[in-house]
């Protein structure tokens, strides 16, 4: 039977092209049988897609709307008022910028809205616990391995103008553990599955959850980072909010030993160094693959394949 809450594109396509939907309320508050089935479903979504929607997630629609309205207002400020925020540093509390070249175009704001950041961080931590369980681990195992008590969180608001190139942001993976993406009104997010691009059409007030590079590393490749891109609508501007959760910046991220009994697919690397390496590279569809190259380059600079800085 068709799900009445699913967008048409999710219902009419073949089942393997339907973006998985995860009910967070069941994950958190369901009985044992409900939770067990929901966690299995979540695990399949992570393994087969690295991408899914969450509903009943606990972030009020009024808060989602208020943060998007505030962001839209900031994008509309005169250039002289925004000048003080044109700061490219990763740790700046608020920064504005633009990615503009012949291939793609977006404007963005990075910042921290306290209540929204708190709510979305709690949601991502709850999902991390369930993802940990989906791999047969204790619910706190990933959080422990990545020191998520001191997690890194980044919130970015994107504005894609209607005029310009068709691609707002080219194919890429995210450097963090998980990302939540919320959009209003205009579609444009696409995710790649089995070599095909699939348009992601959200259920109202839902979030898309995108697996990042650190989940691929910590799971020893069992769960893949999702390759995705943003396309531009020809007539309307598109806005999205992305909340990214990452390990503590000084945490050495490496496969959890329990998941690497048949061999280690990735060497450890400090998350801070991973971000610094990624920021020196052009965004491209091989972002998830360059992690191994990143490690080799860092090890080469340090002069030892057994550097304690990397393998601690």
């Amino acid at each position: 039977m068709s799900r009445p809450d699913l967008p048409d594109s999710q219902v009419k396509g073949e089942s393997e092209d339907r973006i998985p939907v995860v009910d967070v309320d069941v994950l958190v508050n369901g009985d044992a049988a409900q939770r067990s089935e929901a966690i299995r479903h979540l695990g399949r979504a992570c393994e087969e897609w690295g991408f899914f929607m969450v509903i009943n997630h606990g972030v009020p629609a009024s808060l989602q709307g208020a943060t998007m309205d505030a962001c839209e207002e900031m994008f509309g400020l005169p250039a002289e008022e925004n000048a003080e925020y044109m700061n490219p540093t990763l740790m700046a509390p608020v920064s504005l910028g633009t990615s503009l070249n012949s291939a793609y175009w977006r404007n963005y704001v990075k910042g921290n809205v306290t209540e929204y950041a708190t709510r979305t961080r709690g949601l991502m931590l709850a999902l991390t616990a369930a993802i940990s369980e989906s791999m047969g681990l204790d619910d706190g195992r990933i959080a422990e391995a990545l020191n998520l008590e001191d997690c890194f969180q980044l919130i970015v608001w994107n504005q894609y103008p209607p005029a310009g190139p068709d691609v707002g942001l080219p194919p890429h993976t995210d450097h963090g553990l998980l990302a939540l993406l919320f959009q209003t009104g205009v579609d444009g997010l696409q995710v790649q599955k089995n070599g095909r691009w699939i348009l992601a059409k959200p259920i109202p007030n839902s979030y898309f959850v995108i697996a990042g590079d650190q989940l691929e590393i910590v799971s020893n490749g069992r769960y893949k980072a999702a390759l995705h891109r943003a396309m531009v609508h020809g007539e309307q501007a598109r806005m999205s909010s992305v909340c990214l959760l990452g390990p503590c910046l000084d945490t050495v991220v490496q496969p959890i030993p329990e998941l690497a009994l048949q061999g280690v697919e990735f060497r450890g690397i400090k998350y801070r160094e991973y971000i610094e390496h990624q920021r020196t590279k052009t965004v491209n569809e091989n972002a998830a693959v360059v992690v191994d190259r990143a490690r080799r380059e860092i090890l080469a600079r340090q002069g030892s394949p057994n550097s304690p800085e990397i393998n601690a």
Side-chain angles (χ1 to χ4, degrees):
M1 179 179 295
S2 296
R3 285 273 304 276
D5 56 342
L6 287 178
D8 288 345
S9 65
Q10 302 279 16
V11 174
K12 293 178 181 176
E14 296 180 1
S15 60
E16 63 265 24
D17 287 347
R18 295 184 191 173
I19 294 170
V21 179
V22 173
D23 189 327
V24 178
D25 184 59
V26 174
L27 280 178
V28 175
N29 300 314
D31 61 31
Q34 290 171 327
R35 287 197 73 250
S36 178
E37 175 56 31
I39 287 171
R40 283 195 297 270
H41 177 58
L42 174 64
R44 288 193 298 270
C46 290
E47 192 161 6
E48 297 174 7
W49 284 80
F51 186 92
F52 52 93
M53 270 186 282
V54 289
I55 58 174
N56 298 324
H57 45 67
V59 181
S62 58
L63 181 58
Q64 292 174 318
T67 56
M68 295 296 280
D69 289 344
C71 178
E72 187 172 14
E73 182 179 347
M74 194 166 188
F75 278 125
L77 290 175
E80 57 271 18
E81 293 187 39
N82 278 335
E84 64 178 294
Y85 301 115
M86 298 296 287
N87 187 335
T89 63
L90 181 66
M91 301 308 293
V94 178
S95 63
L96 290 135
T98 184
S99 300
L100 174 59
N101 62 25
S102 60
Y104 59 94
W105 184 8
R106 68 164 180 159
N107 301 313
Y108 63 85
V109 178
K110 296 180 181 178
N112 183 359
V113 181
T114 302
E115 183 181 0
Y116 191 69
T118 300
R119 292 272 196 159
T120 53
R121 181 170 60 250
L123 172 57
M124 287 187 284
L125 290 173
L127 289 170
T128 299
I131 289 170
S132 189
E133 288 186 82
S134 76
M135 293 188 287
L137 304 170
D138 291 339
D139 61 2
R141 186 67 180 94
I142 292 178
E144 175 189 26
L146 299 182
N147 193 15
L148 293 185
E149 286 188 4
D150 297 312
C151 66
F152 173 83
Q153 185 176 10
L154 180 67
I155 303 179
V156 180
W157 290 269
N158 297 308
Q159 181 193 60
Y160 301 96
D166 292 336
V167 181
L169 203 59
H172 65 284
T173 59
D174 296 331
H175 63 69
L177 177 71
L178 293 176
L180 294 178
L181 187 144
F182 177 75
Q183 64 184 40
T184 56
V186 180
D187 297 325
L189 176 65
Q190 296 183 351
V191 60
Q192 190 176 94
K193 184 173 186 284
N194 297 329
R196 297 174 56 235
W197 288 106
I198 297 171
L199 178 64
K201 296 182 70 67
I203 296 170
N205 302 320
S206 67
Y207 283 101
F208 291 114
V209 182
I210 306 169
D213 295 341
Q214 307 313 307
L215 182 59
E216 182 168 348
I217 294 169
V218 80
S219 71
N220 201 35
R222 177 170 171 178
Y223 293 166
K224 304 296 185 185
L227 187 64
H228 57 288
R229 66 183 182 183
M231 305 302 288
V232 175
H233 193 283
E235 299 177 356
Q236 296 175 276
R238 175 176 175 265
M239 285 185 57
S240 67
S241 167
V242 180
C243 303
L244 183 143
L245 180 76
C248 171
L249 287 170
D250 290 319
T251 296
V252 175
V253 182
Q254 55 195 342
I256 292 176
E258 301 95 295
L259 302 177
L261 299 179
Q262 304 301 317
V264 176
E265 295 294 326
F266 302 95
R267 303 190 68 131
I269 183 174
K270 273 190 178 181
Y271 183 45
R272 183 189 302 275
E273 294 174 345
Y274 185 90
I275 294 175
E276 290 172 352
H277 178 85
Q278 192 202 49
R279 282 165 63 86
T280 67
K281 302 298 180 183
T282 302
V283 176
N284 61 70
E285 64 179 276
N286 296 317
V289 179
V290 302
V291 293
D292 209 33
R293 188 184 313 134
R295 291 180 183 77
R296 290 198 297 271
E297 291 178 4
I298 290 169
L299 289 169
R301 287 200 304 270
Q302 294 174 340
S304 171
N306 297 310
S307 168
E309 182 76 10
I310 296 296
N311 296 306

